[in-house]
Every structure is written in structure tokens, then in C-alpha cells.
């Protein structure tokens, strides 16, 4: 039966209404997401994590100011009463929804009540009198700071219209800066939980909002709201929506049978090699060299990475040799920013991890990675301090035997191409790490005049003499030498405990690969995205019980297990993680039980796990539950 014009019109109106509703909901979600990100940006300007609570009135005032508010004492008293001991991130968001930022109209109306003659100006003397005697009384210096910034024509009068513009511009810039820092600065993107700073970065936005073909395609429209008041050591029994990953039992390292292609089968292949190093920052972040590789033509390729066994003084420990290493291989397309994950080193042979495959011609990036399970801030105190310099029989300063050995180890680490000499480029990686400055061509020429060089590159002896000269400049005071050593991961006993040198080898069957170290910096969003994507592509997905929008991906590679949480919902979620059933395991967070916060429509690394004792069997068993 044909439908009537009235029915068609009714259907059209209905479709239009549904489209408008859908568009409105989408706009609302975008607005809420922006509001949440702005709240988080302001919060992380003052606090280390959105799971950390506001603990004082002063902190509350400061974090509100970072969000573009200018709270009065009356406002602070409203939210921080005599019974208040802490406010969490959700409380903060609720306060911001209540305390709207002041508008220009409201500001002008307030000034207009003072400027009864409507001249557009207020005398400084009058302003001082009002601000120091009424409401939240300001000090003379505070008012003076305002008048200095806002006296645009130096006439002793405040042009309050211009002042309002300055105030609003400053507020917007402050909020924008906080948001940019959150998006760009990897240290702020890190999730800080419990007492462990070495955690994974902020949730990576999902590239395509579609479910994995290996899991259910249903969605859960009633995903409960997460509560940031989750304790730092939650019990998995707190929520009925708990999901246990299949227990992974792994034998001792002596039983590992996985083998990488042996070097003797590649004796006809051409090889390129470079060294590098992971360095542990004060806040627990790990930085490393990053590399650009060029292949002139398509070729079979084998890429490996392993800790570098530099010469050591007899009896000195080699902590870094047990540090796990990996390489992520990304293809460079039109721009360096547009990188596509190709693969990563997942095949293990003892301490070496590698990958073998076919790569087309062009440029690639190698991003070194370590989980942070073993390369972490030391908890043991070193008693005493190694001696670096002494005076010889002639009364001249000289380097001690142990310090000379340490400097030669450092030389081996920073000599990236392994030719026994330091080029200006290699030396500048060392300078950037230890002093934050580069040595230019002119300064390098001065070095050439004073220290031994060959082919415009610094020799080992030249490097030793350069450090001796630094001690002489300070008349034997080793302070600057210790700054250098500590920045390179050495402790006061001259043990390298907070760094891990490594070596990368690239074999190509049909062409000569070229590798060049480009940067020394944190992994950033490219590495975080690559880790997440690799685990999602290769790992086993498991939907969190009761919430099909939350998927936990678990991937085992050699002696590492990594889990990634994928949040497909429109809301941020807090996932409780319980490793109490695991045996002989060490994770990068340093906690057996913890919580992670995942932003809407994103994925992030939950944890990395390695065996505590590699000579014994280890069992990984983890319970994930949604915060209620």
C-alpha cells in the first residue's frame, strides 16, 4: 500500500528531529570531552595525577586559578569547610561547573559601579583604597602589581576596559598553556599512581572507533561513571565487574628456545650499527636516542637490539645488562610526524631482541624502548663517595684509576658509531645530556687546539684530558664532574644504576643501510602509540565482564608481558588492577595492586611485567575490575 503525503511528511519531520538530536548529543559529548580535558590540564599543573587529592585550601585556590577562575575567600570557604580533609578530581570538576568564569560584561559592570562619572577610568588612589579595605582585602604590593601592568598610558589612572581585556587574555593564555603542556609534554601525560613514577603515558586516542573483529560488537550504553576517589590499593572485590586474564605460566630463562636468525647465515649481508643509551630522569621518565634509517632499495632485513656490555672495573656490578630492550620500527611517509608502525623486535635470543622481515626502500625510524621494570630509581643508599681526582707526586691534579675507567666506559657508550673517536655530533649528544648545551664549530676548534684529536674527532686520551681540565678549572673540586656522572646514570660509587647503554645492528641482504642518531629525548606519543598498537595487533583481547566497551589486550613477548586497556566508551574510566595471584613477577609500576585512569575513546598501557628472578618459573595472573 502506498503511503500518504501526510505520512511521508511526518516521517521526514521525525528523521529531521532524530538527526538534530543525534547532532546535539555529538556536540554535547565534544563539549564534555573538552571540559574534562581542560579540568585535567589545570589539575595536573598543580598535582601529579588526577588520582591525587587536593589536600589544602591553598592547593584548591591554586588549581582553581589554573582553570581560569579567580576564587574569593568566600568561594574557597564554600567548598573547603572545617570538616573538609581532601577533594578529589571529580569534586574539582563539580566545582568548576558551579563556578563559571567571570565574563567581560560582569567585570565592566563591577568597575562601572566605582566609575560613577562613566569616564572609563579609575584613579589609582581610589583603586588602592577600595581593594585594600573591602571584600577580600589585598595588600598594597598586590594592588601595585596590578596598576603597574594595567597603567597603559602612565597617567595614574586605570583604563578598566583595557584591563578587562588584559585579564581575559591572560586567563585564556594560562588555560591554553596548561592544555598544550598536557598534550605535548610527555611528563605531564604520564599517569602517576601510588608511589611509582614510572608509568605509561596518557591514553592514546583510538585511531578508528570500531570494535576488534575478535570480540563482540555490542556496546554498553549504561557504562557506569568512574569515580576518581578509587584508593591507590583497591581490592578486586570492590566491583562485581571483575575480569581475570588467563594465567600465563612461563618457564625459567634457561628453558627459552626462541631463536633469532644466527649472524653466520647473514655473513654476506651488509650491516650498519649504532650505539645508544636509555637514561632515567629524576621523575622516573626514560629518555633515549632515536634513529633514522635509510634503505636504498627493497631488501630482506634483520634488526636487533641488546644491552651494551661496556668494559667494567673488576668487581663492579653491571645492573643494566638485565634491563629489557626493544625497538619499534616505523615507516616515514610524507613527513617525519606521519609515522606508521611496521613491526617491533619480538623474537628473543638471550639478551638480544630482534625482527626479521622485508622492508621497502625509503626512510624508517627506530624507537628504542624499555619497560622501566628494571631501569628504575634506586631504593638503596650508597655509603661513601668514590674519589675522582688526587694530587700526584709533583702536586699536580690527576684522575683516579676508578674514575679513568668510568670515563673510558662513558666514551664507549657515547661513541655511537664505534670507531674509537668522538665526532662533534656524538660529543654534542653527551653535552646535551650533561649540560643541556651544544658545542659549536668554534668551540670544537678550541678543543682541537687543546686536546688530542684525529680526523677532527676526539680521541679517548683527549676525552680524559678534557675532564681533567674541568677538575683543574675548579681547583680539584669534583662538583661539576659529579653533575656529569649523575646525569649519565652513575651513583656515588661509580656504578651505572640509572642508565642502560645498548647497541643496534641492522643487516640488509640487498643494500647498505644507513643509520643516524637524530634525537635524545623521551619516547613521546609516537612511541606510546606504537606500543599500544603493537599489543592490540598481536595480543589476546578480553572484554571486561559487564562492560563490553572496555577491552584488556595482553601480549607476551619473550620475557615480557604487556597489557593495554582499550576504552571505547564516551566516558573516562578507572580500572582497578590486582596482581596478587602472580608469582615471581616484577611490573613497571612497583605496586601489586593499583588503579589506572583511561580517557574516553582511547587506549593506554596498563602495565609491563617481567620475571623477578629469570632463573625460576614465573606466573602472570591479573584481575581487572571497573571502578564503581
Amino acid at each position: 500500500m502506498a503511503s500518504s503525503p501526510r505520512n511521508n511528511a511526518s516521517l521526514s519531520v521525525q528523521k529531521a528531529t532524530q538527526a538534530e538530536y543525534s547532532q546535539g548529543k555529538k556536540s554535547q559529548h565534544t563539549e564534555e570531552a573538552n571540559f574534562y580535558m581542560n579540568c585535567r590540564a589545570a589539575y595536573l599543573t598543580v598535582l601529579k595525577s588526577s588520582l591525587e587529592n587536593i589536600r589544602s585550601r591553598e592547593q584548591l585556590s591554586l588549581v582553581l586559578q589554573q582553570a581560569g577562575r579567580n576564587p574569593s575567600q568566600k568561594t574557597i570557604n564554600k567548598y573547603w569547610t572545617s570538616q573538609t580533609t581532601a577533594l578529589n578530581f571529580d569534586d574539582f570538576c563539580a566545582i568548576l561547573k558551579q563556578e563559571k568564569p567571570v565574563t567581560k560584561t560582569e567585570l565592566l559592570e563591577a568597575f562601572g559601579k566605582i566609575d560613577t562619572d562613566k569616564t572609563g577610568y579609575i584613579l589609582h588612589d581610589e583603586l588602592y583604597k577600595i581593594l585594600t579595605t573591602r571584600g577580600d582585602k589585598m595588600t598594597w604590593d598586590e594592588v601595585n602589581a596590578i596598576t603597574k601592568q594595567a597603567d597603559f598610558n602612565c597617567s595614574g589612572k586605570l583604563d578598566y576596559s583595557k584591563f578587562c581585556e588584559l585579564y581575559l587574555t591572560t586567563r585564556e593564555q594560562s588555560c591554553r598553556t596548561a592544555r598544550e603542556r598536557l598534550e605535548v609534554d610527555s611528563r605531564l601525560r604520564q599517569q602517576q599512581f601510588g608511589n611509582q613514577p614510572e608509568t605509561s603515558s596518557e591514553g592514546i586516542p583510538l585511531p578508528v572507533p570500531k570494535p576488534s573483529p575478535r570480540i563482540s560488537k555490542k556496546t554498553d550504553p549504561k557504562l557506569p561513571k568512574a569515580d576518581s576517589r578509587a584508593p591507590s590499593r583497591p581490592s578486586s572485590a570492590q566491583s562485581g565487574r571483575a575480569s581475570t586474564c588467563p594465567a600465563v605460566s612461563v618457564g625459567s630463562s634457561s628453558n627459552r628456545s626462541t631463536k633469532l636468525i644466527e649472524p653466520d647465515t647473514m655473513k654476506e649481508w651488509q650491516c650498519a650499527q649504532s650505539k645508544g643509551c636509555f637514561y632515567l630522569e629524576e621523575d622516573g621518565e626514560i629518555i633515549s636516542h632515536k634513529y633514522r634509517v635509510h634503505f636504498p632499495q627493497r631488501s630482506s632485513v634483520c634488526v636487533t637490539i641488546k644491552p651494551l656490555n661496556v668494559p667494567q672495573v673488576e668487581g663492579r656490578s653491571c645492573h643494566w645488562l638485565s634491563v629489557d630492550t626493544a625497538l619499534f620500527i616505523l615507516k616515514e611517509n610524507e613527513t617525519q610526524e606521519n609515522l606508521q608502525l611496521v613491526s617491533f623486535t619480538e623474537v628473543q635470543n638471550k639478551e638480544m631482541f630482534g625482527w626479521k622481515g622485508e622492508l621497502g626502500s625509503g626512510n624508517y625510524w627506530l624507537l628504542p624502548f624499555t619497560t622501566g621494570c628494571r631501569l628504575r630509581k634506586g631504593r638503596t643508599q650508597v655509603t661513601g663517595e668514590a674519589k675522582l681526582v688526587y694530587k700526584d707526586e709533583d702536586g699536580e691534579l690527576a684522575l683516579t684509576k676508578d674514575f679513568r675507567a668510568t670515563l673510558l666506559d662513558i666514551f664507549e657508550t657515547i661513541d655511537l658509531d664505534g670507531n674509537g673517536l668522538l665526532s662533534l655530533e656524538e660529543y654534542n649528544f653527551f653535552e646535551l645530556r650533561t649540560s643541556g648545551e651544544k658545542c659549536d664549530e668554534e668551540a670544537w676548534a678550541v678543543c682541537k687546539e687543546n686536546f688530542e684529536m684525529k680526523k677532527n674527532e676526539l680521541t679517548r686520551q683527549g676525552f680524559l684530558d678534557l675532564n681533567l681540565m674541568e677538575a683543574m678549572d675548579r681547583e680539584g673540586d669534583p662538583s661539576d664532574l659529579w653533575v656529569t656522572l649523575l646525569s649519565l646514570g652513575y651513583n656515588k660509587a661509580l656504578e651505572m644504576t640509572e642508565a642502560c647503554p645498548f647497541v643496534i645492528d641492522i643487516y640488509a641482504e640487498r643494500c647498505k643501510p644507513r643509520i643516524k642518531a637524530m634525537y635524545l629525548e623521551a619516547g613521546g606519543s609516537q612511541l606510546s602509540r606504537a606500543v599500544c598498537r603493537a599489543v592490540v595487533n598481536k595480543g589476546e583481547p578480553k572484554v571486561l565482564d559487564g562492560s563490553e566497551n572496555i577491552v584488556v589486550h595482553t601480549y607476551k613477548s619473550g620475557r615480557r608481558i604487556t597489557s593495554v586497556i582499550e576504552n571505547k566508551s564516551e566516558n573516562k574510566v578507572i580500572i582497578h588492577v590486582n596482581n596478587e595471584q602472580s608469582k615471581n613477577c616484577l611490573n613497571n609500576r612497583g605496586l601489586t595492586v593499583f588503579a589506572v585512569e583511561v580517557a574516553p575513546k582511547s587506549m593506554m598501557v596498563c602495565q609491563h611485567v617481567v620475571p623477578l628472578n629469570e632463573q625460576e618459573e614465573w606466573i602472570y595472573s591479573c584481575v581487572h575490575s571497573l571502578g564503581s
Side-chain angles (χ1 to χ4, degrees), residues 209-468:
K210 63 181 181 181
S212 166
R214 293 172 290 181
I215 60 176
S216 170
K217 296 186 178 182
K218 291 174 65 179
T219 59
D220 183 4
K222 297 180 180 179
L223 185 69
K225 180 182 178 183
D227 186 349
S228 66
R229 276 171 281 199
S232 60
R233 293 187 59 82
S235 166
S236 61
Q238 287 182 336
S239 170
R241 295 172 297 281
S243 182
T244 306
C245 74
V248 179
S249 179
V250 187
S252 65
S253 59
S254 59
N255 296 327
R256 293 196 302 267
S257 59
T258 306
K259 286 191 176 182
L260 190 64
I261 183 169
E262 296 298 330
D264 58 358
T265 65
M266 300 182 295
K267 57 186 177 181
E268 302 298 328
W269 292 23
Q270 300 189 66
C271 179
Q273 184 184 87
S274 183
K275 300 175 194 172
C277 195
F278 295 109
Y279 294 110
L280 190 61
E281 298 279 59
E282 278 303 309
D283 62 358
E285 184 179 38
I286 297 173
I287 70 170
S288 73
H289 295 79
K290 291 183 177 180
Y291 305 84
R292 196 179 191 194
V293 180
H294 178 72
F295 294 98
Q297 66 183 83
R298 188 172 192 85
S299 175
S300 294
V301 171
C302 181
V303 181
T304 67
I305 182 173
K306 65 179 179 179
L308 175 66
N309 190 5
V310 295
Q312 284 288 294
V313 174
E314 186 177 352
R316 189 180 296 172
S317 57
C318 312
H319 301 279
W320 71 89
L321 289 179
S322 65
V323 172
D324 57 276
T325 60
L327 275 177
F328 286 82
I329 306 165
L330 289 82
K331 179 72 169 71
E332 180 180 310
N333 296 318
E334 293 80 13
T335 65
Q336 292 183 11
E337 290 75 25
N338 186 16
L339 303 180
Q340 179 182 1
L341 176 65
V342 174
S343 193
F344 61 101
T345 53
E346 57 179 326
V347 181
Q348 182 182 1
N349 184 7
K350 297 181 180 179
E351 292 78 24
M352 178 187 294
F353 274 82
W355 173 82
K356 186 189 176 191
E358 190 94 1
L359 292 179
S361 62
N363 294 320
Y364 294 80
W365 284 79
L366 299 183
L367 307 185
F369 170 76
T370 184
T371 61
C373 292
R374 291 198 169 88
L375 184 58
R376 61 201 306 168
K377 302 301 289 185
R379 293 179 173 83
T380 57
Q381 296 295 322
V382 176
T383 57
E385 181 178 302
K387 195 172 182 181
L388 303 184
V389 295
Y390 71 101
K391 287 192 176 181
D392 62 17
E393 296 174 352
D394 299 324
E396 298 291 331
L397 278 177
L399 305 178
T400 64
K401 179 182 176 181
D402 284 350
F403 185 38
R404 284 177 61 89
T406 299
L407 286 174
L408 290 175
D409 285 350
I410 291 172
F411 187 96
E412 291 299 321
T413 300
I414 63 178
D415 175 21
L416 300 184
D417 62 8
N419 71 343
L421 300 167
L422 291 184
S423 66
L424 174 56
E425 191 172 38
E426 290 170 331
Y427 182 75
N428 271 333
F429 280 119
F430 166 78
E431 278 292 304
L432 285 171
R433 178 61 192 165
T434 56
S435 69
E437 299 178 354
K438 274 190 169 185
C439 175
D440 57 23
E441 292 286 352
E442 186 176 346
W444 192 244
V446 174
C447 284
K448 191 173 183 179
E449 294 174 2
N450 292 277
F451 307 108
E452 183 181 272
M453 285 200 181
K454 291 182 180 178
K455 300 178 181 178
N456 200 37
E457 294 188 324
L458 192 65
T459 65
R460 289 182 175 85
Q461 187 60 50
F463 183 67
L464 293 174
D465 291 341
L466 188 152
N467 282 275
L468 176 59

Side-chain angles (χ1 to χ4, degrees), residues 29-40 69 89 92-97 100 179:
H29 283 311
T30 302
E31 185 176 340
E32 288 177 353
N34 285 332
F35 172 76
Y36 168 77
M37 286 302 293
N38 288 332
C39 291
R40 182 170 172 77
R69 309 305 193 264
F89 180 68
F92 172 66
C93 292
I95 292 172
L96 288 188
K97 288 180 179 179
K100 302 295 184 182
R179 179 69 179 263

Side-chain angles (χ1 to χ4, degrees), residues 50-108:
S50 54
L51 294 183
E52 185 177 334
N53 290 335
I54 298 169
R55 295 291 182 183
S56 67
R57 299 167 57 89
E58 291 74 23
Q59 271 193 337
L60 175 59
S61 179
L62 188 58
V63 77
L64 285 173
Q65 290 172 15
Q66 292 297 329
R69 309 305 193 264
N70 189 23
S72 65
Q73 282 302 314
K74 183 178 179 181
T75 301
I76 298 298
N77 293 338
K78 177 180 175 183
Y79 298 105
W80 193 279
T81 68
S82 57
Q83 286 77 38
T84 307
T85 57
L87 294 172
N88 62 28
F89 180 68
D90 281 354
D91 296 327
F92 172 66
C93 292
I95 292 172
L96 288 188
K97 288 180 179 179
Q98 291 291 325
E99 302 300 325
K100 302 295 184 182
V102 66
T103 65
K104 184 175 181 180
T105 301
E106 291 170 337
L107 283 173
L108 291 175

Side-chain angles (χ1 to χ4, degrees), residues 185-213:
D185 193 331
S186 60
R187 297 178 193 179
L188 287 180
R189 288 199 307 271
Q190 286 184 320
Q191 297 293 314
Q192 310 287 355
F193 300 114
N195 61 1
Q196 181 61 21
E198 304 92 293
T199 55
S200 302
S201 60
E202 174 71 26
I204 304 300
L206 298 179
V208 182
K210 63 181 181 181
S212 166

Side-chain angles (χ1 to χ4, degrees), residues 372-597:
C373 292
R374 291 198 169 88
L375 184 58
R376 61 201 306 168
K377 302 301 289 185
R379 293 179 173 83
T380 57
Q381 296 295 322
V382 176
T383 57
E385 181 178 302
K387 195 172 182 181
L388 303 184
V389 295
Y390 71 101
K391 287 192 176 181
D392 62 17
E393 296 174 352
D394 299 324
E396 298 291 331
L397 278 177
L399 305 178
T400 64
K401 179 182 176 181
D402 284 350
F403 185 38
R404 284 177 61 89
T406 299
L407 286 174
L408 290 175
D409 285 350
I410 291 172
F411 187 96
E412 291 299 321
T413 300
I414 63 178
D415 175 21
L416 300 184
D417 62 8
N419 71 343
L421 300 167
L422 291 184
S423 66
L424 174 56
E425 191 172 38
E426 290 170 331
Y427 182 75
N428 271 333
F429 280 119
F430 166 78
E431 278 292 304
L432 285 171
R433 178 61 192 165
T434 56
S435 69
E437 299 178 354
K438 274 190 169 185
C439 175
D440 57 23
E441 292 286 352
E442 186 176 346
W444 192 244
V446 174
C447 284
K448 191 173 183 179
E449 294 174 2
N450 292 277
F451 307 108
E452 183 181 272
M453 285 200 181
K454 291 182 180 178
K455 300 178 181 178
N456 200 37
E457 294 188 324
L458 192 65
T459 65
R460 289 182 175 85
Q461 187 60 50
F463 183 67
L464 293 174
D465 291 341
L466 188 152
N467 282 275
L468 176 59
M469 186 198 72
E470 186 172 345
M472 289 178 173
D473 287 346
R474 297 295 298 265
E475 298 180 346
D477 182 356
S479 300
D480 286 354
L481 298 175
W482 277 118
V483 169
T484 296
L485 289 168
L486 293 174
S487 66
L488 294 174
Y490 286 86
N491 63 18
K492 291 288 186 170
L494 293 180
E495 298 169 326
M496 194 194 318
T497 56
E498 296 187 357
C500 172
F502 55 78
V503 60
I504 295 171
D505 287 290
I506 306 171
Y507 300 88
E509 184 179 18
R510 302 187 190 94
C511 61
K512 174 68 175 177
R514 295 197 306 270
I515 181 172
K516 182 178 181 181
M518 303 298 292
Y519 306 108
L520 179 59
E521 61 184 21
S525 60
Q526 289 281 9
L527 181 57
S528 296
R529 189 175 291 108
V531 173
C532 288
R533 181 48 55 197
V535 172
V536 170
N537 288 345
K538 294 268 189 174
E540 290 297 322
K542 182 172 178 59
V543 177
L544 198 68
D545 290 352
S547 180
E548 293 177 338
N549 284 327
I550 312 299
V551 185
V552 180
H553 302 265
T554 305
Y555 176 68
K556 176 185 173 294
S557 174
R559 55 184 176 184
R560 285 194 303 268
I561 291 176
T562 298
S563 66
V564 166
I565 297 176
E566 185 178 7
N567 177 16
K568 300 180 180 182
S569 74
E570 299 284 351
N571 305 303
K572 62 154 184 165
V573 295
I574 292 178
I575 306 297
H576 298 165
V577 184
N578 189 322
N579 293 300
E580 290 176 328
Q581 298 304 311
S582 294
K583 304 293 183 184
N584 189 31
C585 286
L586 179 69
N587 70 33
N588 65 308
R589 295 184 180 275
L591 297 169
T592 303
V593 184
F594 55 91
V596 293
E597 178 183 304

